[in-house]
Amino acid sequence: MQSLSTPVTTGILLPPYALDTAIQKVRIAEDAWNSRNPEKVSLAYTEDSLWRNRDQFLQGREQIVPFLTAKWEREQEYRLIKEIWAHDQNRIAVRFAYEWCDHQGNWFRSYGNENWEFAANGLMAKRYASINDLKISADQRLFHWPQGRRPDDHPGLSALGL
């Protein structure tokens, strides 16, 4: 397994996934989403990828990019942690939490689960996300690293009791 002390930026991990490669896929996804770069994130998905995100249904990169652009415009100071929940062959289930604030300075922690299905080329073909938002105070925040990739020494969800 590649060390996670440096971001995984080259190569695509192909299914079927063993535990170590599934964990790498989860961290790669976390790193990409923490970049808040919609174009970069969209490249991890097949061109015709199907998404359910809360109550929205998207198909294809041409819908993913504007969706993520609008998301990160609304969700300021976005910081995300993903954790593997289960995996099998070409599917990975994750749980996640992210913190963000709105334009009025209100803080939230969003909790969710995602089910991922990958194409043979290692790109995500399906993403089903269920997400709930919890309003928190600024002093309840737990994700304090500088915007971008979560440092390797920052605790994950389980260590944080989330």
Side-chain angles (χ1 to χ4, degrees), residues 1-2 4 8 13 17-30 82-87 92 94 116:
M1 183 168 115
Q2 178 170 345
L4 293 181
V8 180
L13 300 170
Y17 298 113
L19 179 59
D20 64 336
T21 54
I23 289 170
Q24 287 180 35
K25 283 295 259 195
V26 172
R27 185 58 192 242
I28 291 167
E30 177 187 312
K82 291 183 183 278
E83 183 176 282
I84 191 165
W85 188 253
H87 76 285
I92 298 174
V94 300
W116 301 341

Side-chain angles (χ1 to χ4, degrees), residues 16 22 25 46 48 62 76 94 102 107 125 127 133 137-139:
K25 283 295 259 195
T46 60
D48 61 348
E62 69 280 353
Q76 301 291 300
V94 300
D102 64 18
W107 281 95
R127 175 186 174 267
D133 301 319
S137 63
D139 63 336

Side-chain angles (χ1 to χ4, degrees), residues 116-133:
W116 301 341
E117 184 175 277
F118 294 89
N121 65 2
L123 298 178
M124 196 180 302
K126 296 179 182 175
R127 175 186 174 267
Y128 303 109
S130 298
I131 308 166
N132 299 297
D133 301 319

Side-chain angles (χ1 to χ4, degrees), residues 41-68:
V41 172
S42 75
L43 295 177
Y45 300 90
T46 60
E47 289 188 33
D48 61 348
S49 182
L50 297 174
W51 280 27
R52 181 187 49 77
N53 194 89
R54 300 177 191 249
D55 62 349
Q56 294 186 280
F57 296 81
L58 308 173
Q59 182 170 6
R61 290 181 189 160
E62 69 280 353
Q63 292 182 0
I64 292 170
V65 171
F67 170 83
L68 292 175

